[in-house]
Amino acid sequence: MRLATRDNGTPDGELLVVSNDGARALPAGARWPNLLTVMGSWNEAHPHLQSLSGEVETSGTTIDPGTLRAPLPRSWQWLDGSAFSTHGDLMQIAFGTDPIETTKPLMYQGLSDRFYAPHEPVPFLREQDGIDFEGEFGVIVDAVPMGVTPQDALRHIRLIVQINDWSLRALAVPEMKTGFGWIQAKPACSMAPFAVTPDQLGEFWRDGRVHLDLDIRWNDKQFGRANGGEMAFGFHELVAHAAGTRDLVAGTIIGSGTVANAAYRDVGSSCISEQRAIEMIETGKPATAFMSFGDRVRMAAHTPDGQMPFGVIDQSVVRQ
């Protein structure tokens, strides 16, 4: 099943059930007006939405991509992990920081009161803040009890999404050194138009991981195509970590962190800061600048036959 949210002038938008080709949709109806409502009553809403997912293939109306917002335009909680070891190793080089000695997943709590639409221009104040994109995957859970095991956490993962976690790199290290976490360095994220149920991904969802290449193009040039399968911790383990001492409210979004592969010289990167770290390894200094106003970034996870389950994030960076 594939879901989307259409702009209707309300904060949470109108929930749509989308066809397999992403071209047609049916409204979920008055009882289930938006995805945030559905997440709070998933077991009750799911049969109705599943029924519509069958009907939409023959009776849905054409979607105007320009009207689509993030599938979950706002939520109660956004928790972003850093589950790719290669990304962590490269970022230590990029930031000049010591390794973090821990056997637990890394995770921080970010801004959740808005997620940018997939084609919405993203405003920033200053280029010198180091504007960077970060391609990643995420999951949306129903209500998760405190102390859930990783195995039991799998059944609480209801939807999978694709995210661009925007970052301001010049502000990140000073905030890290305070020990309190990020505020200015982590503005709102963007989300691809479609949220999909795990079964929609078939063989590409296993071990709590999205085994798809994330194709990233910066100003129409290929930048990266790392695969989501190399997570050191699966999403079920990230969910269990987040719920280690507290319940997770339905609608919580948990991110994988920047998708990265050990074979980065072959597949590229999912953020500019990684590319700069690779340049530091190879030449002793970074050569790639961060984004400028007017730059565009395009992200789309692909199956081997070219399908894009989450649709496309295609955004430009603009001056606030």
Side-chain angles (χ1 to χ4, degrees), residues 79 124 192:
L79 303 174
F124 296 96

Side-chain angles (χ1 to χ4, degrees), residues 81-274:
S82 183
F84 291 88
S85 299
T86 297
H87 175 70
D89 294 343
L90 290 173
M91 293 306 287
Q92 288 163 19
I93 296 169
F95 287 164
T97 56
D98 294 329
I100 299 173
E101 301 296 339
T102 180
T103 58
K104 296 182 179 181
L106 300 177
M107 187 174 288
Y108 73 93
Q109 184 158 339
L111 181 68
S112 64
D113 61 359
R114 74 167 300 179
F115 287 84
Y116 288 116
H119 298 286
E120 183 177 0
V122 181
F124 296 96
L125 286 173
R126 295 171 295 271
E127 291 178 341
Q128 57 265 38
D129 287 339
I131 303 168
D132 197 359
F133 51 80
E134 290 192 59
E136 59 183 273
F137 297 108
V139 297
I140 307 175
V141 299
D142 61 10
V144 181
M146 183 190 312
V148 69
T149 66
Q151 190 59 40
D152 286 343
L154 273 174
R155 63 183 179 87
H156 291 284
I157 296 173
R158 299 304 189 178
L159 294 168
I160 305 168
V161 293
Q162 176 191 305
I163 294 169
N164 181 3
D165 174 29
W166 292 99
S167 295
L168 298 174
R169 299 303 191 183
L171 306 180
V173 174
E175 287 194 317
M176 288 172 66
K177 289 180 178 179
T178 69
F180 274 82
W182 287 305
I183 295 295
Q184 294 184 340
K186 288 292 186 178
C189 301
S190 305
M191 202 178 290
F194 307 130
V196 304
T197 50
D199 63 282
Q200 184 78 21
L201 295 183
E203 64 180 300
F204 303 110
W205 171 256
R206 60 185 187 275
D207 305 320
R209 295 161 171 83
V210 179
H211 293 261
L212 291 174
D213 291 345
L214 182 55
D215 182 85
I216 298 178
R217 298 172 187 268
W218 180 13
N219 292 332
D220 297 322
K221 294 182 179 179
Q222 179 78 46
F223 188 83
R225 49 180 178 82
N227 189 280
E230 282 192 24
M231 292 171 73
F233 297 94
F235 275 112
H236 56 310
E237 294 167 301
L238 296 182
V239 172
H241 174 74
T245 59
R246 56 176 166 170
D247 297 332
L248 300 183
V249 66
T252 294
I253 307 166
I254 295 180
S256 66
T258 306
V259 178
N261 292 170
Y264 52 78
R265 287 184 175 85
D266 297 322
V267 302
S269 301
S270 299
C271 71
I272 300 170
S273 196
E274 275 191 16

Side-chain angles (χ1 to χ4, degrees), residues 276-289:
R276 289 167 60 89
I278 294 167
E279 292 163 353
M280 291 170 68
I281 294 170
E282 295 179 345
T283 68
K285 61 181 180 179
T288 302

Side-chain angles (χ1 to χ4, degrees), residues 17-31:
V17 179
V18 181
S19 60
N20 286 327
D21 62 5
R24 298 176 305 283
L26 287 173
R31 188 178 180 190

